[in-house]
């Protein structure tokens, strides 16, 4: 519990690495979060922790998704100069476009894995993430639709949605037979 809370608290850290260049995964904050994830995986493999596998998987997925987003936001902060403040990040066109594309890629990966493993609930989780991206595109990104970043975001998400529809069809349900 302390490791998870510490990992969540470090998400708000901009990971200042001066005088060195910022590199995702190779900075103190990301290395600490990687160590937390590794410790949680090791703990999950013990017999005492095996009783709540579904809850552990959800916690790992949520922490991993949060970590991915924070790495993206820190990279944009260090490389493009967007202040690492919630208000500034929310108003940045580059941040919103990058989040749309990364969320769509994450949903694509989740849905492909779910299709190959024939796990419909996991596929539905990816579909929910895709629905959130589409909602975000229409509610937030459409407000200032004249910028190049927003056009790239719409085209990128559209292409990834077409790829998802082709490579990750819905796995059969409990009562359906696999094709």
């Amino acid at each position: 519990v302390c490791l998870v809370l510490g990992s969540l608290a470090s998400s708000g850290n901009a990971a200042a690495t001066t005088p060195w260049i910022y590199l995702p995964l190779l900075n103190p904050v990301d290395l600490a979060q990687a160590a937390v994830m590794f410790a949680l995986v090791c703990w999950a493999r013990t017999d005492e922790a095996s009783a709540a596998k579904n809850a552990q998987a959800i916690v790992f997925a949520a922490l991993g998704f949060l970590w991915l987003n924070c790495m993206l936001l820190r990279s944009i902060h260090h490389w493009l100069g967007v202040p690492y403040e919630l208000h500034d990040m929310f108003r940045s066109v580059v941040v919103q476009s990058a989040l749309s594309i990364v969320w769509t890629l994450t949903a694509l990966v989740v849905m492909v894995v779910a299709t190959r493993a024939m796990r419909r609930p996991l596929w539905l989780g990816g579909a929910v993430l895709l629905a959130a991206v589409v909602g975000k595109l229409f509610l937030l990104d459409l407000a200032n639709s004249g910028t190049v970043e927003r056009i790239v975001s719409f085209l990128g998400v559209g292409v990834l949605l077409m790829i998802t529809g082709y490579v990750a069809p819905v796995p059969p349900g409990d009562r359906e037979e696999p094709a």
Side-chain angles (χ1 to χ4, degrees), residues 5 103 113 123 170:
L5 292 176
W103 290 1
V113 167
W123 189 93
V170 181

Side-chain angles (χ1 to χ4, degrees), residues 40-63:
L40 289 174
V41 167
C42 290
W43 173 72
R45 290 185 177 181
T46 64
D47 289 335
E48 298 88 31
S50 64
K53 287 291 183 192
N54 286 337
Q56 289 172 348
I58 291 170
V59 169
F60 291 150
L63 282 177

Side-chain angles (χ1 to χ4, degrees), residues 1-177:
V1 172
C2 289
L3 288 175
V4 171
L5 292 176
S7 179
L8 291 175
S10 70
S11 297
N13 190 334
T17 58
T18 50
W20 297 292
I21 187 170
Y22 173 83
L23 294 173
L25 292 175
L26 296 176
N27 62 72
V29 173
D30 288 334
L31 289 173
Q33 288 190 340
V36 166
M37 293 297 281
F38 178 74
L40 289 174
V41 167
C42 290
W43 173 72
R45 290 185 177 181
T46 64
D47 289 335
E48 298 88 31
S50 64
K53 287 291 183 192
N54 286 337
Q56 289 172 348
I58 291 170
V59 169
F60 291 150
L63 282 177
F65 186 67
L66 177 68
W67 182 23
L68 175 69
N69 284 296
C70 288
M71 276 193 299
L72 175 68
L73 295 176
R74 282 191 289 266
S75 297
I76 291 172
H77 165 67
H78 286 286
W79 294 345
L80 300 178
V82 176
Y84 198 73
E85 298 291 327
L86 184 61
H87 182 264
D88 294 323
M89 290 280 180
F90 184 77
R91 294 180 51 121
S92 172
V93 176
V94 173
V95 168
Q96 294 302 322
S97 298
L99 284 174
S100 293
I101 292 172
V102 166
W103 290 1
T104 306
L105 282 171
T106 303
L108 171 66
V109 169
V110 167
M111 292 171 86
V112 167
V113 167
T115 298
R116 300 242 166 109
M118 302 297 264
R119 296 187 56 202
R120 193 175 197 145
L122 184 61
W123 189 93
L124 290 173
V128 167
L129 183 56
L130 276 182
V133 171
V134 171
K136 179 185 158 319
L137 282 174
F138 285 109
L139 295 176
L140 294 176
D141 294 352
L142 199 58
N144 298 327
S145 59
T147 62
V148 173
E149 291 87 358
R150 294 198 194 276
I151 294 168
V152 169
S153 175
F154 272 86
L155 290 176
V157 169
V159 167
L160 290 171
L161 284 172
M162 286 185 353
I163 292 170
T164 302
Y166 181 73
V167 300
V170 181
D174 294 337
R175 296 181 188 167
E176 299 174 20
E177 292 294 320

